[in-house]
Amino acid sequence: MKRIKVELPGHVYPVWIGNGILSRAADLMARAGFDSPPLVVSNRRVLKLHGDVLLSSLERTFGRVAVIRIPDGEEYKNHATLQRIYEGLFRTRADRHSWIAAFGGGVIGDVAGFAAATFLRGIRYVGIPTTLLAQVDSSVGGKVGINAPQGKNLIGAFHQPSAVLSDTAVLGTLAKREIASGLYEIIKCAAIRSTSLLSYLERRLDQVLDLEPAAVSHAVAEAVRIKAEVVARDEREGEERMILNFGHTVGHALETATAYRRFTHGEAVAWGMIAAAAISCARGNLTIEEGERLLSLIERVGRLPDLKGLASKDVWAALQRDKKFRSGDIRMVLLPGLGNTEIVRGLEPRYMRRFLSGFLSFGEG
Ligand SMILES: NC(=O)c1ccc[n+]([C@@H]2O[C@H](COP(=O)([O-])OP(=O)(O)OC[C@H]3O[C@@H](n4cnc5c(N)ncnc54)[C@H](O)[C@@H]3O)[C@@H](O)[C@H]2O)c1
């Protein structure tokens, strides 16, 4: 098992990563100082697939464990689901010493984490992420929240978990497309911070895709280490943390312009990384060889949904609504070289519009 420490001012927590460690969940948590049963928040699918392993471990150590089932899907990352979690907490007479175990993908982590952030002005929670995306991205860093009718992730807080437990064995029941989606976020971490992770992925991509335990644990742990380092320097999303948004500017615009139906989050980020790498090359920062290296790694993961039929005016409109495009100051995370980032300000709108229309026709498939 690998153990990574996330060190924030005033709050340090472990991320445990390993194959088959779900059955040791209670031991690990007891050693981390928990001495009462958690309230487990999860959904039917995750509980059916992996609930027995977690619950029997927790019940052996802590006694009876209450479970709150929430509906499965991004559309349920909302206020009604949050309310359901609060009701479960009140029903079980939760107090300020109670804690939540958020057991599922990024949706569960975000909404259960937000319930923990707000219930009685904040109780502890432990993340037990079960998708690759959640293991490498959403479970670390403390951003929690829900969607509003006006847009995604508009209501939320920064609330760090007390621990994160990532069992890579549970990824075996995920759809291939979900694995790919998480893998793009790992590639993102490599592109912004680590040429050694990039080389590792180039050598071992097939084993990671096949979820070979040592390969997938290494890739997850390296991505978590990179995210932990960035978050440790900038917990609340100032300049430093913005580098984690590499690929997200165009990625978010693609998700918005397709009403979140065509791409998974990771796939949209993969297109966004290709766009950002192309701009980096065009500005003469990234070499063509480096750009191609990134592109070919992304291509090896699988075929991305194409960009056919996307109107550049819609993507442009979505881009302008993005909070990273503050008041006309177009900022983007670009690569001065692989493993390095720069935040570029003041990109010309005319240039960006022209780039987008060329990019969309390149991605038509
Ligand atoms: N807080 C952050 O920093 C952050 C970062 C990135 C993404 N997010 C959020 O994460 C969410 C996306 O997360 P996601 O991709 O994990 O989606 P998800 O939580 O919807 O999970 C995808 C699907 O996989 C199922 N599933 C989960 N674990 C499984 C397993 N082991 N086997 C089989 N099926 C399983 C889920 O029930 C769901 O149907 C979005 O809401 C996004 O906004 C948050």
Side-chain angles (χ1 to χ4, degrees):
M1 184 182 76
K2 297 175 194 292
R3 186 178 191 279
I4 292 162
K5 253 202 275 176
V6 184
E7 295 186 87
L8 300 161
H11 184 63
V12 179
Y13 60 93
V15 181
W16 301 298
I17 298 160
N19 188 58
I21 62 172
L22 194 59
S23 60
R24 292 167 52 199
D27 292 346
L28 290 164
M29 289 167 195
R31 261 191 276 155
F34 290 97
D35 57 5
S36 61
L39 189 93
V40 173
V41 178
S42 190
N43 68 32
R44 201 172 293 280
R45 178 204 282 258
V46 173
L47 285 168
K48 187 164 171 225
L49 291 167
H50 305 289
D52 284 352
V53 180
L54 176 68
L55 294 176
S56 57
S57 164
L58 292 174
E59 290 188 339
R60 261 195 320 271
T61 300
F62 298 118
R64 215 178 96 69
V65 171
V67 178
I68 299 181
R69 283 177 186 73
I70 62 173
D72 190 359
E74 182 69 37
E75 65 273 34
Y76 297 105
K77 197 173 106 177
N78 60 16
H79 196 267
T81 302
L82 185 65
Q83 189 59 32
R84 208 156 143 169
I85 301 174
Y86 292 144
E87 275 157 20
L89 287 162
F90 285 121
R91 209 173 35 247
T92 55
R93 298 178 197 282
D95 61 23
R96 302 192 62 176
H97 304 290
S98 304
W99 57 291
I100 288 177
F103 183 44
V107 166
I108 301 257
D110 278 10
V111 65
F114 189 50
T118 44
F119 185 74
L120 303 179
R121 297 205 179 83
I123 59 172
R124 293 168 304 166
Y125 78 106
V126 168
I128 310 180
T130 60
T131 63
L132 185 56
L133 182 97
Q135 293 190 351
V136 298
D137 192 4
S138 58
S139 62
V140 175
K143 282 211 265 175
V144 293
I146 56 173
N147 301 327
Q150 288 77 5
K152 266 190 60 139
N153 296 324
L154 293 182
I155 298 168
F158 286 97
H159 187 56
Q160 300 291 340
S162 297
V164 177
L165 183 149
S166 289
D167 182 350
T168 52
V170 303
L171 305 177
T173 51
L174 272 184
K176 284 271 177 271
R177 197 172 172 196
E178 299 290 345
I179 302 281
S181 189
L183 197 40
Y184 296 124
E185 289 283 354
I186 300 179
I187 294 175
K188 177 202 79 179
C189 289
I192 61 172
R193 265 288 193 269
S194 169
T195 47
S196 71
L197 178 57
L198 203 68
S199 309
Y200 182 84
L201 292 171
E202 287 171 333
R203 288 195 311 278
R204 306 287 305 271
L205 191 81
D206 296 341
Q207 286 93 328
V208 177
L209 277 169
D210 287 345
L211 300 178
E212 197 255 280
V216 76
S217 288
H218 180 81
V220 170
E222 286 308 297
V224 167
R225 205 186 306 281
I226 290 164
K227 182 153 186 192
E229 267 172 32
V230 174
V231 171
R233 274 203 292 273
D234 172 16
E235 188 180 352
R236 305 240 158 182
E237 206 148 68
E239 274 299 291
E240 174 81 24
R241 194 164 169 163
M242 224 186 112
I243 70 170
L244 295 169
N245 288 329
F246 174 62
H248 284 59
T249 308
V250 170
H252 275 155
L254 292 174
E255 284 181 294
T256 312
T258 53
Y260 293 89
R261 294 212 180 89
R262 190 183 302 190
F263 310 100
T264 63
H265 177 66
E267 288 165 351
V269 169
W271 273 122
M273 288 194 284
I274 297 170
I279 296 174
S280 305
C281 287
R283 290 168 58 92
N285 300 349
L286 195 67
T287 65
I288 301 290
E289 292 72 34
E290 286 178 303
E292 280 175 352
R293 212 178 139 191
L294 184 61
L295 180 64
S296 73
L297 188 59
I298 291 170
E299 281 176 346
R300 277 178 60 199
V301 175
R303 197 179 156 76
L304 288 170
D306 63 39
L307 303 179
K308 214 176 260 154
L310 269 166
S312 83
K313 74 171 181 4
D314 295 340
V315 181
W316 175 243
L319 207 64
Q320 285 177 306
R321 284 200 299 273
D322 192 296
K323 57 181 183 279
K324 289 179 282 302
F325 269 50
R326 280 204 201 124
S327 57
D329 172 19
I330 306 183
R331 293 188 299 175
M332 246 181 120
V333 183
L334 298 179
L335 303 177
L338 286 174
N340 258 315
T341 47
E342 61 173 341
I343 296 167
V344 174
R345 291 202 151 74
L347 285 163
E348 268 288 308
R350 272 224 324 265
Y351 168 79
M352 281 304 291
R353 285 204 70 161
R354 224 171 335 114
F355 169 80
L356 268 184
S357 97
F359 182 70
L360 292 175
S361 46
F362 158 80
E364 282 198 343

